[in-house]
Amino acid sequence: MSRWRSTRASRVFAALQRIGWHVKREGKGSHRILAREDWPDFVWAFHDRDEIGPRMLARIAKRTGLRPENL
């Protein structure tokens, strides 16, 4: 069983900001480019009300350093 539970995108985005990610620039629509020191840029492409499932959360975590306790 996954350590991750489905969560709203707005909650995940807020958690990313708390761990040091910030919006580097805004793209078209829902796309935002996030930056954090010593990490490659990450493209955030979710609307705030989107529900993000466990598999996608695991992928996001791998690229951003997010952990379940950050949510």
Side-chain angles (χ1 to χ4, degrees), residues 11-54:
R11 187 170 178 196
V12 178
F13 187 73
L16 289 172
Q17 290 180 313
R18 282 193 302 274
I19 65 169
W21 289 91
H22 66 276
V23 177
K24 182 176 178 180
R25 90 175 173 264
E26 303 239 358
K28 293 184 179 185
S30 61
H31 287 68
R32 300 177 200 160
I33 289 62
L34 304 179
R36 181 179 178 189
E37 193 172 319
D38 299 329
W39 288 81
D41 290 352
F42 179 72
V43 178
W44 181 257
F46 299 96
H47 293 280
D48 286 343
R49 291 183 144 190
D50 287 348
E51 190 78 18
I52 301 176

Side-chain angles (χ1 to χ4, degrees), residues 3-15 18 44 46-58 60 66-68 70-71:
R3 303 180 320 163
W4 298 98
R5 295 182 11 201
S6 294
T7 309
R8 292 249 185 223
S10 59
R11 187 170 178 196
V12 178
F13 187 73
R18 282 193 302 274
W44 181 257
F46 299 96
H47 293 280
D48 286 343
R49 291 183 144 190
D50 287 348
E51 190 78 18
I52 301 176
R55 292 184 79 184
M56 183 56 75
L57 281 171
I60 292 169
L66 186 68
R67 287 182 271 147
N70 296 130
L71 298 175

